[in-house]
Amino acid sequence: MDLIEKVVIVTGAASGIGRASARMIAEAGASAVVLVDMDAAGLTETAKDIMAETRQITCDVTDPLALEALYKTVTDRFDRLDVVFNNAGIVSGPPPFPDTDLERIRRVVDIDLTSVIQSSALAIQYMRTNGGGVIINTASTGGLNPYLSDAPYAASKAGVIMFSRSCAELHEQYGIRVNAVCPGVTETPILDKTGGGTRPEWLGPIMEHIKALSPEDIGQTVLDIIKDDNMAGEFVVVQNEPR
Ligand SMILES: NC(=O)c1ccc[n+]([C@@H]2O[C@H](COP(=O)([O-])OP(=O)(O)OC[C@H]3O[C@@H](n4cnc5c(N)ncnc54)[C@H](O)[C@@H]3O)[C@@H](O)[C@H]2O)c1
């Protein structure tokens, strides 16, 4: 799909990968980018860099009614929806698993997996009667490799990969392409949240051997997935290069 004159929703757009991707999607020609996040100030900051029409929607993606309202607002306003990038996400942070608080485990699964499924379902319900579209879900290399200290995150991201793969048939049925992107370690504020405000100790030795990706590296992969009309039910790994 080419992005000229397209309408795109990006969640987690107030920071990191979502912010960079929203900007790059606008630069690629989208007519409107709907920026979604809980962080209103961050959304305003993101919108400053975007030349296309933007709409900032401050909501918690785990609130089912808020997500339904988001889709209604967008489709009523623009009368089209071409691309959804389900990207909002969190890590468990300290203490590491198995000492993670149950409420925090629920929150991680809710944001990182359940909201991705609900948002995709709402997008598919619209796209299947409106000419198809593209959905990209942010997973992680953590969803492919065992990761004990944040096993709830790894399990959620593995779920995102299998969910996206399970949607492959929608391409043939309705022209809807659902795919996942699996970033390696990417330089964004989430790295500090992993350690609860500082970088976790375990990241230090890893970073001695690899170069962190930039949010733009992931944004470029998102653009590549949008452009590739044959890609459906796949996951694309963005690997860190060795130092
Ligand atoms: N940075 C990395 O190394 C890395 C690696 C693999 C995957 N990821 C994934 O990439 C995605 C983006 O993360 P990032 O690295 O840009 O981190 P980030 O912390 O910079 O951005 C995440 C954004 O999601 C928003 N968000 C969190 N919970 C939300 C909710 N309930 N409702 C609405 N918005 C919410 C945050 O406010 C924030 O703006 C996440 O899904 C993350 O798991 C990141």
Side-chain angles (χ1 to χ4, degrees):
M1 178 189 287
D2 109 38
L3 275 163
I4 307 291
E5 296 302 315
K6 300 299 192 298
V7 174
V8 182
I9 293 175
V10 179
T11 77
S15 179
I17 292 169
R19 172 177 286 173
S21 301
R23 185 177 43 74
M24 292 167 80
I25 284 167
E27 279 167 7
S31 59
V33 187
V34 180
L35 308 168
V36 180
D37 207 290
M38 287 175 75
D39 172 3
L43 286 181
T44 303
E45 205 51 41
T46 301
K48 279 185 194 158
D49 282 344
I50 295 185
M51 302 314 278
E53 177 176 352
T54 56
R55 198 163 180 121
Q56 298 167 43
I57 299 193
T58 306
C59 78
D60 181 338
V61 291
T62 67
D63 176 345
L65 295 180
L67 264 195
E68 281 175 21
L70 159 71
Y71 276 88
K72 184 163 183 349
T73 303
V74 172
T75 52
D76 283 356
R77 162 70 184 81
F78 297 104
D79 205 22
R80 65 182 301 154
L81 174 60
D82 302 285
V83 178
V84 176
F85 181 29
N86 290 311
N87 165 75
I90 60 166
V91 288
S92 297
F97 188 79
D99 298 314
T100 320
D101 183 76
L102 177 59
E103 274 313 300
R104 188 64 182 174
I105 293 173
R106 286 209 168 106
R107 188 83 182 131
V108 168
V109 177
D110 224 13
I111 296 175
D112 291 356
L113 178 58
T114 312
S115 80
V116 170
I117 296 174
Q118 194 211 351
S119 177
S120 297
L122 291 166
I124 292 161
Q125 285 160 13
Y126 179 82
M127 289 172 175
R128 72 183 168 190
T129 49
N130 288 278
V134 178
I135 299 169
I136 299 152
N137 299 318
T138 303
S140 169
T141 50
L144 294 163
N145 307 313
Y147 178 24
L148 175 61
S149 59
D150 201 345
Y153 177 84
S156 303
K157 294 300 190 179
V160 170
I161 293 168
M162 186 48 85
F163 169 73
S164 305
R165 291 181 61 198
S166 299
C167 291
E169 284 171 38
L170 293 170
H171 185 203
E172 211 176 297
Q173 287 176 4
Y174 302 115
I176 302 169
R177 299 192 292 106
V178 184
N179 294 282
V181 60
C182 301
V185 178
T186 308
E187 192 58 59
T188 74
I190 211 172
L191 296 184
D192 293 328
K193 295 169 197 161
T194 308
T198 51
R199 305 242 150 157
E201 272 176 30
W202 55 260
L203 196 57
I206 294 175
M207 297 312 289
E208 283 172 20
H209 299 289
I210 58 166
K211 290 185 205 156
L213 295 155
S214 69
E216 287 75 17
D217 291 330
I218 314 305
Q220 186 54 53
T221 304
V222 169
L223 290 184
D224 292 344
I225 294 173
I226 293 169
K227 275 188 203 138
D228 185 341
D229 289 328
N230 294 315
M231 192 183 283
E234 295 186 34
F235 59 96
V236 181
V237 179
V238 192
Q239 293 282 9
N240 294 97
E241 282 181 21
R243 275 191 192 276

